[in-house]
């Protein structure tokens, strides 16, 4: 009988009694009545054949035997709770936060995110898009895809696309204005602008006009829009000509929704870069590796 295994239902109760030094307080913490806690302790004492709790007028305290058992019960409760948390985490799908701008999120990531689920089906990707997504952003995602110059990024960043823009519009708009015959007619047509700071980090229409040797004022006209998605939608809707970013609008060019109507302008030191967050996980590195593979084909 001395080696009979104990019923372990008492472990959490006895841990609470020893930790709180009160049957009443232990019952309150565990949602039990004081008599129920007292009954469990007495049943345990009967199983062990010794006093575990010395009861007095001013409360109760553990006996030497009770202190020894409490140390084991407390350690067991801590280990079991830690194991339970680990098991629950195994059931939860890990989530990655990808921080980027609206253009990359809408035109590159969203059409492809289902492919990443095939590679890592247990991982969710939460895309956090912001108009203020630049290399100096305080937002700390697990992975960031940002636009900027090579000097804006540390050694851990990988360039995805170099900056390359060219005029695009709908096929109907191009045909109506005979842009295939003479791209220089762009100078006299409505231009679609992406709103920016006075010193934008990306190419503007002024940059393209200068490179193409065109006269005229390509400053913001009647349609100046605050996200690149709206700029592209306006071009698709025959509202004017937009600067198309290679890497973002490739799909629209491939399916004929938009057509290129002028020469490209590029610079190798600028473009989109992917970089890990401050504490990259294995899942984050998998996402980075997958993005790089997708870009490089």
């Amino acid at each position: 009988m001395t080696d009979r295994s104990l019923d372990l239902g008492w472990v959490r109760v006895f841990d609470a009694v020893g930790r709180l030094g009160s049957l009443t307080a232990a019952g309150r913490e565990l949602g039990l009545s004081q008599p129920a806690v007292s009954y469990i302790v007495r049943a345990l004492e009967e199983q062990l054949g010794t006093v575990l709790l010395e009861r007095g007028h001013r409360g109760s305290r553990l006996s030497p035997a009770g202190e020894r058992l409490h140390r084991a019960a407390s350690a067991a409760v801590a280990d079991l709770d830690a194991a339970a948390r680990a098991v629950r985490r195994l059931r939860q799908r890990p989530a990655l936060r990808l921080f980027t701008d609206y253009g990359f999120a809408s035109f590159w990531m969203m059409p492809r995110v289902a492919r990443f689920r095939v590679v890592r089906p247990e991982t969710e990707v939460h895309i956090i898009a912001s108009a203020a997504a630049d290399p100096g952003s305080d937002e700390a995602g697990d992975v960031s895809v940002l636009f900027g110059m090579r000097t804006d990024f540390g050694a851990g960043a990988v360039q995805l696309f170099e900056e390359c823009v060219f005029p695009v519009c709908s096929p109907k708009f191009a045909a109506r204005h005979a842009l295939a015959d003479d791209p220089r007619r762009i100078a006299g047509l409505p231009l679609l602008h992406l709103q920016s700071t006075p010193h934008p980090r990306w190419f503007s229409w002024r940059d393209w006009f200068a490179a193409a040797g065109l006269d005229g004022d390509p400053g913001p006209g009647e349609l100046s829009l605050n996200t690149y998605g709206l700029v592209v939608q306006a071009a698709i809707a025959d509202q004017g000509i937009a600067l198309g970013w290679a890497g973002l609008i490739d799909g629209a060019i491939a399916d004929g929704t938009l057509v290129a109507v002028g020469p490209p302008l590029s610079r190798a030191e600028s473009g989109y870069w992917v970089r890990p967050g401050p504490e990259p996980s294995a899942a984050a590195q998998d996402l980075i590796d997958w993005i790089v593979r997708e870009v490089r084909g």
Side-chain angles (χ1 to χ4, degrees), residues 1-292:
M1 294 296 291
T2 56
D3 293 331
R4 181 166 59 97
S5 297
L6 292 175
D7 176 0
L8 296 181
W10 58 269
V11 175
R12 191 174 295 277
V13 172
F14 196 69
D15 167 64
V17 170
R19 177 165 40 82
L20 299 173
S22 165
L23 297 171
T24 301
R28 187 182 303 117
E29 179 178 277
L30 299 173
L32 300 172
S33 66
Q34 188 271 351
V37 174
S38 180
Y39 173 82
I40 291 171
V41 173
R42 289 190 182 280
L44 180 59
E45 289 176 326
E46 290 178 6
Q47 287 186 66
L48 293 173
T50 188
V51 173
L52 299 174
L53 198 64
E54 295 176 348
R55 300 160 178 82
H57 296 294
R58 296 187 177 182
S60 306
R61 63 185 182 90
L62 294 173
S63 68
E67 289 178 354
R68 182 171 183 177
L69 188 63
H70 179 258
R71 286 195 295 270
S74 180
V77 167
D79 287 345
L80 288 169
D81 285 345
R85 288 191 296 270
V87 169
R88 290 189 182 101
R89 283 196 296 271
L90 289 175
R91 296 181 58 190
Q92 296 172 349
R93 298 178 66 187
L96 290 175
R97 296 168 301 150
L98 173 66
F99 181 60
T100 188
D101 61 29
Y102 289 118
F104 187 87
S106 300
F107 293 103
W108 197 93
M109 192 66 198
M110 289 305 299
R112 294 172 173 83
V113 70
R115 298 183 197 173
F116 181 70
R117 296 195 188 102
V118 174
V119 175
R120 198 178 177 103
E122 75 281 7
T123 302
E124 292 182 359
V125 178
H126 297 172
I127 300 174
I128 305 169
S130 170
D134 61 60
S137 297
D138 292 333
E139 183 72 38
D142 298 297
V143 177
S144 297
V145 176
L146 305 172
F147 186 91
M149 304 290 288
R150 186 181 304 276
T151 52
D152 295 328
F153 299 92
V158 177
Q159 189 175 29
L160 300 177
F161 316 110
E162 71 174 40
E163 184 179 13
C164 178
V165 300
F166 45 88
V168 297
C169 63
S170 70
K172 290 182 180 180
F173 191 94
R176 186 162 63 247
H177 297 284
L179 291 174
D181 300 332
D182 185 5
R184 298 179 66 84
R185 291 177 179 171
I186 290 173
L189 297 173
L191 304 178
L192 305 172
H193 295 262
L194 177 62
Q195 289 178 3
S196 181
T197 62
H199 304 287
R201 293 178 290 113
W202 48 78
F203 283 137
S204 67
W205 273 113
R206 283 195 172 93
D207 298 312
W208 190 86
F209 266 53
L214 296 181
D215 297 326
D217 180 16
E222 294 182 358
L223 266 180
S224 183
L225 303 148
N226 66 347
T227 69
Y228 190 59
L230 293 177
V231 172
V232 173
Q233 289 176 26
I236 293 171
D238 302 334
Q239 298 300 304
I241 307 171
L243 284 177
W245 261 261
L248 299 187
I249 62 162
D250 297 358
I253 296 293
D255 65 20
T257 305
L258 293 173
V259 293
V261 292
L265 174 63
S266 62
R267 52 185 170 188
E269 70 274 14
S270 177
Y272 274 100
W273 303 74
V274 60
R275 70 180 182 191
E279 297 181 2
S281 63
Q285 189 58 53
D286 283 349
L287 177 59
I288 291 172
D289 294 342
W290 173 83
I291 290 173
V292 172

